[in-house]
Amino acid sequence: MKKKIKILFATPEASPFIATGGLGEVAGSLPKALMKKYSDEMDVRIILPLYEGISSRDGFEYIGNTYVQLAWRQQYCGIYKKVENNLIYYFIDNEYYFKRSECYGHFDDGERFAFFSKAVLTILPIIDFIPHIIHANDWQTALIPVYLATKYFTNKDYWDIKSIITVHNMEYQGNFDLSIVEDVFDLSNKEKDLIEYKGAANLLKAAFEVSHIISTVSKSYSEEILNDYFAHGLASIIQKNSSKLKGILNGIDTLVYNPETDDALFKQYNYDSLHNKTYNKTNLQCLTGLSENADIPIIAVISRLVSHKGMDLIIEGMEEILKEKVQFIVLGRGDRKYELYFKSLQEAYRDKVAVRIDFNNDLARKIYGGSDFFLMPSISEPCGISQMIASRYGSVPIVHEVGGLKDSIKDSSFGSGNGFTFNEKSSKALVNTIRRGLKVYENKDDWSKLVKEVMRKDFSWENSSEKYRDMYLNLIN
Ligand code: GLC
């Protein structure tokens, strides 16, 4: 039998255990897809912190414990394991660091994730899994490749381990005060250069320098981040390391997001039973207090309400948008100014605009199912997942051509396509694009043809998991 490639996928979050955003979705679905398709070639395992938020611990098995040395600290490290769908998950337990109500946003996040990163490397002999590749994700795990390169390179069990850092969003780099480099990150003065960037400690920068591969979540974004506007100050480091740079588009778990089986829907449907999608639409209108009328197109926004998601473009264009015969639904939380804006918009247009300031998975699914258009005008979007989920539910995406939005949605005006797109970052372009969509909506035959086309587009991990496999194989050969 051929020897399997061993991969340890290190992540600060993974659904269904814990997910605060897109990374959680990806970590929850990519390793699963790899093990479904390639388990005869590879053994992929996942490791993440055991947060308080992981409430259901059915089937968790206690493996043992050890102590992790972080500079002068000796910290307890418990190890749990859970097997699900042929996949092994490891959880790092330390109540002092992880028994807190939120995953991130604490004064000592640097220390918490330095501990996690060191713990991942410390426990390998205990779990008896020395991987060929450690695949780290985002700044929270960025110290793993750094410790491999600085602390473990003389250890013969570890020196062949290759590292990949995947960045899901360049906005979050893990920036900390230089004063904690030695005392918390446990890096000597000599190693300081590696982590120092523009007067601060920058974990992502250090990982970019030492990892064997830098990957990101779409081809377009991997090109965009050569430019500082998208790289948030790290462009020169990416340019310097561009020979290591890869971009692979995310997929979604098409079993989890499937209108044929989704219990959250008012009625399940597929592209041969679109009348049941209409049933979802009128029920959604009823639920959200919009006037009930199957002929009025519903435009949905499900998003964090923050500037890089393009909220200002929406606001600037809103007056024009609402001149049309449309309804508008917004679900999300975010910056207070946007929350207030949308709430007052709802006050002013009760039967036309419905706003829910919330994270609500059940309602999100009802909105994907009941809406006609899904608006996602992000200013920057590494990949984006919602436009793929919306497509699966037949809500036609309207997107700004950046990053993963550009790579996943093609404009349908010129023959084949699966949505409506605009290139110019302006509310005028956004409004014009919505109007182009509404024109198609007016013609029932054209519209149902487009909805079917949109729903048929394959956003599963089928293609992308193969690209990850090739990346892993190339790296170790
Ligand atoms: C981040 C990015 C998003 C991407 C997700 C998963 O949340 O902002 O674009 O889809 O990570 O990679």
Side-chain angles (χ1 to χ4, degrees), residues 214-265:
I214 303 169
S215 89
T216 187
V217 287
S218 68
K219 185 99 192 73
S220 288
Y221 193 62
S222 75
E223 289 154 9
E224 287 165 355
I225 58 177
L226 291 164
N227 173 320
D228 248 340
Y229 177 77
F230 290 99
H232 293 270
L234 277 181
S236 64
I237 304 296
I238 307 226
Q239 286 159 14
K240 182 174 149 211
N241 290 286
S242 64
S243 63
K244 304 194 289 193
L245 187 60
K246 297 231 167 349
I248 303 177
L249 192 70
N250 289 330
I252 56 170
D253 189 329
T254 47
L255 292 178
V256 173
Y257 295 108
N258 182 359
E260 272 184 293
T261 55
D262 192 334
D263 286 333
L265 296 176

Side-chain angles (χ1 to χ4, degrees), residues 428-461:
K428 197 162 147 238
L430 177 145
V431 172
N432 285 339
T433 309
I434 292 179
R435 290 203 168 115
R436 280 199 291 122
L438 293 174
K439 262 249 108 38
V440 180
Y441 182 87
E442 276 170 19
N443 181 315
K444 282 211 154 55
D445 288 342
D446 289 353
W447 183 251
S448 84
K449 215 172 116 211
L450 175 60
V451 171
K452 286 180 187 178
E453 193 71 31
V454 165
M455 290 179 78
R456 280 203 193 99
K457 171 88 186 167
D458 182 8
F459 285 124
S460 73
W461 277 102

Side-chain angles (χ1 to χ4, degrees), residues 68 70 108-120 139-140 143 147 184-186 203:
V68 170
L70 198 59
D108 57 349
D109 277 357
E111 181 177 329
R112 295 168 71 229
F113 290 101
F115 163 78
F116 175 67
S117 300
K118 197 76 183 289
V120 168
W139 72 264
Q140 294 92 333
L143 280 169
Y147 290 146
V184 174
F185 297 147
D186 199 9
L203 302 190

Side-chain angles (χ1 to χ4, degrees), residues 141-293:
T141 56
L143 280 169
I144 298 175
V146 176
Y147 290 146
L148 270 177
T150 53
K151 307 257 169 246
Y152 287 89
F153 72 102
T154 53
N155 179 327
K156 75 171 182 1
D157 286 337
Y158 287 70
W159 69 35
D160 278 337
I161 300 179
K162 301 277 194 280
S163 58
I164 299 176
I165 177 83
T166 292
V167 53
H168 295 259
N169 194 331
M170 289 293 298
E171 244 185 288
Y172 310 106
Q173 302 179 356
N175 269 305
F176 298 95
D177 198 279
L178 274 179
S179 64
I180 68 172
V181 169
E182 217 170 323
D183 181 64
V184 174
F185 297 147
D186 199 9
L187 295 172
S188 69
N189 229 350
K190 226 175 68 216
E191 294 154 347
K192 223 174 182 167
D193 278 355
L194 185 59
I195 201 166
E196 180 169 359
Y197 191 60
K198 299 185 176 169
N202 186 314
L203 302 190
L204 216 45
K205 180 255 180 181
F208 286 169
E209 297 280 24
V210 296
S211 296
H212 297 93
I213 291 179
I214 303 169
S215 89
T216 187
V217 287
S218 68
K219 185 99 192 73
S220 288
Y221 193 62
S222 75
E223 289 154 9
E224 287 165 355
I225 58 177
L226 291 164
N227 173 320
D228 248 340
Y229 177 77
F230 290 99
H232 293 270
L234 277 181
S236 64
I237 304 296
I238 307 226
Q239 286 159 14
K240 182 174 149 211
N241 290 286
S242 64
S243 63
K244 304 194 289 193
L245 187 60
K246 297 231 167 349
I248 303 177
L249 192 70
N250 289 330
I252 56 170
D253 189 329
T254 47
L255 292 178
V256 173
Y257 295 108
N258 182 359
E260 272 184 293
T261 55
D262 192 334
D263 286 333
L265 296 176
F266 295 102
K267 203 177 247 173
Q268 285 132 11
Y269 61 93
N270 61 24
Y271 46 72
D272 288 324
S273 56
L274 285 177
H275 54 281
N276 288 336
K277 181 167 169 65
T278 309
Y279 182 84
N280 279 284
K281 175 171 178 177
T282 48
N283 275 277
L284 177 67
Q285 287 169 325
C286 185
L287 178 78
T288 53
L290 295 169
S291 48
E292 211 178 304
N293 182 340

Side-chain angles (χ1 to χ4, degrees), residues 22-23 26 168-169 217 250 381-385:
L23 167 58
V26 171
H168 295 259
N169 194 331
V217 287
N250 289 330
E381 195 61 75
C383 176
I385 290 178

